[in-house]
Amino acid sequence: DFRIAIDRLARHIAAALLAGLACYSWQAEPFVWPSPASSEHVASLADRLSAESPAAEESAAACDAVRPLLGGLSCRSFLSDHWEVAPLLSRPGAAWARALFSLRDVERMARLWPLRFLRNHGTAVVHTPGSGFLADPRWERGAAVPPDIVEVALAAERTFVLHNLEVYSPPVAAFTRSVVAFFHAYTQVNLYVSPAGLEVVTSP
């Protein structure tokens, strides 16, 4: 049995080699590596490091968009002194925030989009304060988000959360694109609305 198995294996290997040779022989033109004389000039490392980035214009526009969040710092100072180094408390101001988004926009979004509680992508949830991010069971999974959800949640002393705000709000989407271009990282915008006076909003 062992000899028969070895014989079959050898025949399979031989057949595979013949098939590979047949495929190779059918190539119209063999691959030829380009010669250094015919190739284009390859920039040196110093040339590449000193050259302006192809995304310089886009990065400059993105810097202008996110600068209100940087507390008066330049974009270069923020990246060198705070990015992945130390947190920065940002207070861009109520006027800037209102121009980007307002609580009235939640009502408009709930009327325009089929927002649902505890569903993927555009998930809405109402958190119980101090519960460790547990959802209030009064708002059932899959139920439609009512237009007056902000007022209802605040009256019940709950925190209303809406994920992926950049999908449903054009101003937030435009700002998110600038954040992505500036930080070169995936960015998701979530909205948290809590009543005033809570000692613990959602966690621990």
Side-chain angles (χ1 to χ4, degrees), residues 101 103-111 115-117 123-127 136 138-140 143-162 191 193-195:
F101 191 81
L103 294 183
R104 293 180 180 177
D105 293 328
V106 177
E107 179 179 349
R108 298 189 187 99
M109 291 165 55
R111 294 185 185 278
L115 302 179
R116 295 290 184 268
F117 287 106
T123 293
V125 63
V126 178
H127 285 163
D136 192 311
R138 286 180 290 177
W139 286 271
E140 297 180 355
V145 176
D148 61 345
I149 182 58
V150 173
E151 291 78 4
V152 172
L154 293 180
E157 295 190 344
R158 297 293 186 264
T159 295
F160 172 69
V161 184
L162 183 62
L191 172 71
V193 183
S194 299

Side-chain angles (χ1 to χ4, degrees), residues 12-55:
H12 284 306
I13 293 175
L17 290 174
L18 289 174
L21 290 174
C23 292
Y24 180 77
S25 64
W26 277 98
Q27 290 183 355
E29 296 181 1
F31 177 78
V32 178
W33 290 97
S35 62
S38 62
S39 61
E40 297 181 358
H41 170 70
V42 179
S44 66
L45 178 60
D47 292 338
R48 283 180 281 143
L49 291 178
S50 60
E52 184 178 2
S53 169

Side-chain angles (χ1 to χ4, degrees), residues 50-70:
S50 60
E52 184 178 2
S53 169
E57 184 175 350
E58 181 183 6
S59 298
C63 171
D64 292 338
V66 303
R67 189 171 291 154
L69 299 178
L70 306 184

Side-chain angles (χ1 to χ4, degrees), residues 70 73 77-89:
L70 306 184
L73 298 175
S77 297
F78 174 79
L79 291 175
S80 62
D81 300 336
H82 290 276
W83 178 245
E84 296 186 342
V85 176
L88 174 68
L89 179 60

